[in-house]
Amino acid sequence: MNTPTHKHHTWAEPYKIKMVELLRMTTREERLAAIREAGYNTFLTRSRDVYIDLLTDSGTSAMSDRQWAGMMLGDEAYSGSENFYHLESVVQEYYGYKHLVPTHQGRGAENLMSQILIKEGDYVPGNMYFTTTRLHQELAGGTFVDVIVDEAHDPQNAFPFKGNVDLEKLAALVDGVGTDRVPYVSLEGNVNMAGGQPFSMANLRELRLYCDKHDIPIMLDATRTIENAWFIREREDGYAGQPVRDILREICDMTDGCTMSAKKDALVNIGGFFACNDDEVFQKAQNLVVVYEGLHTYGGLAGRDMEAMAQGIREAVTEDHMAARIGQVRYLGRKLEAAGIPLVEPIGSHAIFIDARRFLPHIDQEEYPAQALAAELFIESGIRTMERGNVSAGRDPLTGKNRLPKLELVRLTIPRRVYTQAHMDVVAESVIGVYKRRDKIRGLKMVYEPEYLRFFQARFEPVS
Ligand SMILES: *Cc1c(COP(=O)(O)O)cnc(C)c1O
């Protein structure tokens, strides 16, 4: 191997800084006022009041000089933009699907796919739900059915492939409702809600065999599939040292199409796409996209956005990038683990997930412990995180009751190429600071609840 030796020593960033954005620091009083104003919901705080922003890794990446240079090559034509054809060829090359329909972001693609493939009364099996994905399935008349392996629901289980599909759960559903009622299997790479956990290639192979036998397509949520490919390279027999781009292709080649939020893996601030191999589905998507997003050669994006995405995909599949990306997340995770902070194991790809049930065992789940902890981290040091628990899970459409998920988590999401190791040290110190005074943290009650995706806009007050 002629691997450069520096790679063996550290995950150090494979880039240097060319431009900086100054951060603003605040006092504890200012932060307390800000979080009260925001109804104890970090989504409603203002970015100017945030010191280190770990709310999400969505659209928050730092673009490279090449991506910025690509922005200047934007061909802002209403139809047939050069940047569309460039992006199409890059998606064909790296993801391997025949057809591409750009969308403004991931949920735009989910809307198209759900409306095209799901009929009223259908069931859509998936390896754990994602908020927007499930909502679009429900709005199209479908019912989401979780078929992820049990290990994924246990934060302390260190199984290396917690994103795997449980083939028995899938078969039980298909046998129960019949193949006609199952339009596709919804397969997510590096399952976000499970803590950024990958599926294995072996599991996907088995799933493919099963789906071929029953004539059910597999539609990939490709949002973090490059990161999934990295974990396969690290953990699965036969993949050590394989190029990430080859593993990505192998995954995509076993699926029938995908939705993509390019705001994650693809290193852009906005963008997404739907891609597939089936000509008829493509034609329908091309037609529907003009209703919701824009013409089929821009789908709600500017030409420059598509150019930045094409370049971002090229950079995202490099081993240097992935080693640093996952290395930074792991660096933070190990620091917290060493301090005894309860985390979802194993440490995932894009975020550290704090287990709020174990962090705040004195707060009942109906008093939103993860929401309370996210607010507390903001008050402590201006670090903005998000809740992934009772609030995010929402209510069961049939009973109207809170779904009370097993996972009650706070997500510290690391934007790509944005923060340094010193920032990670500050984050660790802050979490540890809050942990030391955890007994004094109180739960919350919800005082305003929006109808859709309530976690974005719900408002809370501390319980007395
Ligand atoms: C972010 C995300 C989406 C939705 O994409 P948007 O670009 O935010 O609309 C879908 N699936 C997964 C797994 C995601 O992380």
Side-chain angles (χ1 to χ4, degrees):
M1 292 283 283
N2 56 357
T3 311
T5 49
H6 63 264
K7 282 189 192 165
H8 296 299
H9 298 305
T10 176
W11 54 269
E13 294 82 356
Y15 51 81
K16 59 183 178 173
I17 295 165
K18 186 170 328 215
M19 185 189 279
V20 297
E21 178 181 333
L22 300 182
L23 298 174
R24 180 173 167 262
M25 298 199 204
T26 51
T27 64
R28 190 184 172 85
E29 285 64 41
E30 286 172 322
R31 293 192 295 272
L32 256 174
I35 197 77
R36 275 193 204 120
E37 178 92 357
Y40 291 81
N41 186 345
T42 50
F43 276 105
L44 299 178
T45 52
R46 291 178 61 152
S47 159
R48 70 188 292 274
D49 295 326
V50 174
Y51 172 34
I52 298 177
D53 200 353
L54 308 184
L55 186 70
T56 172
D57 64 336
S58 180
T60 53
S61 298
M63 294 208 296
S64 67
D65 51 357
R66 282 164 196 245
Q67 285 178 290
W68 279 106
M71 300 284 278
M72 293 305 292
L73 301 176
D75 174 11
E76 308 305 343
Y78 191 88
S79 96
S81 161
E82 265 309 285
N83 312 115
F84 165 76
Y85 294 104
H86 180 202
L87 176 63
E88 184 186 46
S89 71
V90 167
V91 170
Q92 285 166 344
E93 180 182 351
Y94 290 91
Y95 289 85
Y97 303 110
K98 199 165 142 195
H99 303 298
L100 171 75
V101 178
T103 58
H104 77 285
Q105 59 184 81
R107 70 198 70 181
E110 290 170 348
N111 176 37
L112 302 181
M113 185 173 84
S114 302
Q115 290 211 31
I116 292 165
L117 297 178
I118 300 172
K119 297 185 304 296
E120 188 70 38
D122 279 353
Y123 294 86
V124 186
N127 54 343
M128 202 172 264
Y129 84 99
F130 185 73
T131 51
T132 57
T133 318
R134 182 177 64 192
L135 180 59
H136 279 297
Q137 291 163 356
E138 289 172 353
L139 290 172
T143 301
F144 170 80
V145 181
D146 188 7
V147 296
I148 203 165
V149 292
D150 285 338
E151 285 89 338
H153 291 281
D154 174 4
Q156 285 167 276
N157 192 310
F159 185 57
F161 293 107
K162 287 167 101 172
N164 279 356
V165 171
D166 184 328
L167 273 292
E168 281 177 26
K169 287 185 193 170
L170 176 61
L173 171 72
V174 173
D175 293 346
V177 303
T179 40
D180 292 354
R181 284 265 160 252
V182 182
Y184 61 92
V185 173
S186 175
L187 179 73
E188 184 186 333
N190 262 19
V191 181
N192 193 349
M193 303 299 283
Q197 307 291 338
F199 57 71
S200 69
M201 201 70 89
N203 183 253
L204 176 54
R205 254 180 237 120
E206 271 186 69
L207 178 66
R208 184 73 260 176
L209 278 176
Y210 178 87
C211 287
D212 280 345
K213 212 182 313 164
H214 297 269
D215 203 18
I216 300 172
I218 302 172
M219 303 307 284
L220 182 68
D221 182 337
T223 300
R224 289 189 188 76
T225 300
I226 301 175
E227 292 176 355
N228 197 122
W230 178 263
F231 280 127
I232 288 175
R233 184 183 196 264
E234 275 191 345
R235 295 177 184 170
E236 194 161 353
D237 282 349
Y239 289 93
Q242 293 285 320
V244 168
R245 56 176 292 182
D246 292 357
I247 303 173
L248 175 67
R249 265 308 285 272
E250 194 175 333
I251 293 170
C252 294
D253 287 351
M254 274 193 278
T255 65
D256 299 279
C258 80
T259 54
M260 171 76 178
S261 170
K263 300 171 71 173
K264 324 292 172 53
D265 267 358
L267 296 165
V268 288
N269 303 124
I270 194 72
F273 57 81
F274 171 70
C276 67
N277 294 325
D278 187 279
D279 298 337
E280 207 178 307
V281 170
F282 171 56
Q283 209 170 35
K284 287 185 184 166
Q286 257 193 331
N287 190 218
L288 204 57
V289 76
V290 301
V291 181
Y292 292 103
E293 308 276 321
L295 197 70
H296 58 276
T297 55
Y298 75 86
L301 297 171
R304 54 182 171 267
D305 300 327
M306 293 188 280
E307 192 61 28
M309 200 195 303
Q311 175 60 23
I313 292 169
R314 286 209 177 88
E315 294 172 12
V317 297
T318 63
E319 283 72 35
D320 278 351
H321 169 68
M322 273 300 145
R325 162 74 175 148
I326 308 286
Q328 185 178 42
V329 174
R330 220 169 258 168
Y331 172 81
L332 174 61
R334 290 201 173 132
K335 274 206 127 162
L336 294 175
E337 265 172 6
I341 310 293
L343 305 180
V344 173
E345 288 170 53
I347 295 165
S349 59
H350 65 300
I352 300 301
F353 290 75
I354 299 175
D355 185 349
R357 283 173 185 268
R358 281 185 289 148
F359 197 110
L360 298 172
H362 58 286
I363 300 182
D364 187 87
Q365 197 175 11
E366 289 284 14
E367 290 180 354
Y368 310 107
Q371 188 77 27
L373 180 53
E376 207 58 41
L377 284 170
F378 177 82
I379 295 165
E380 172 82 10
S381 55
I383 291 171
R384 181 158 68 169
T385 61
M386 79 150 87
E387 192 261 13
R388 277 303 184 216
N390 192 0
V391 184
S392 292
R395 293 180 187 277
D396 186 302
L398 294 178
T399 66
K401 292 222 165 76
N402 277 334
R403 282 179 164 116
L404 298 180
K406 288 205 181 102
L407 299 179
E408 179 71 28
L409 311 175
V410 173
R411 191 177 82 182
L412 283 62
T413 339
I414 315 298
R416 296 164 185 79
R417 312 195 286 203
V418 171
Y419 292 113
T420 64
Q421 186 166 336
H423 288 121
M424 295 301 110
D425 292 342
V426 172
V427 172
E429 283 166 24
S430 309
V431 174
I432 294 164
V434 172
Y435 193 58
K436 286 191 180 135
R437 56 180 180 80
R438 63 189 179 281
D439 297 346
K440 301 203 179 61
I441 298 171
R442 288 179 294 160
L444 298 171
K445 61 172 187 281
M446 202 185 299
V447 294
Y448 165 64
E449 180 172 358
E451 187 178 352
Y452 301 112
L453 303 175
R454 66 183 184 179
F455 58 94
F456 284 129
Q457 290 149 340
R459 301 184 72 85
F460 302 83
E461 280 171 9
V463 292
S464 38

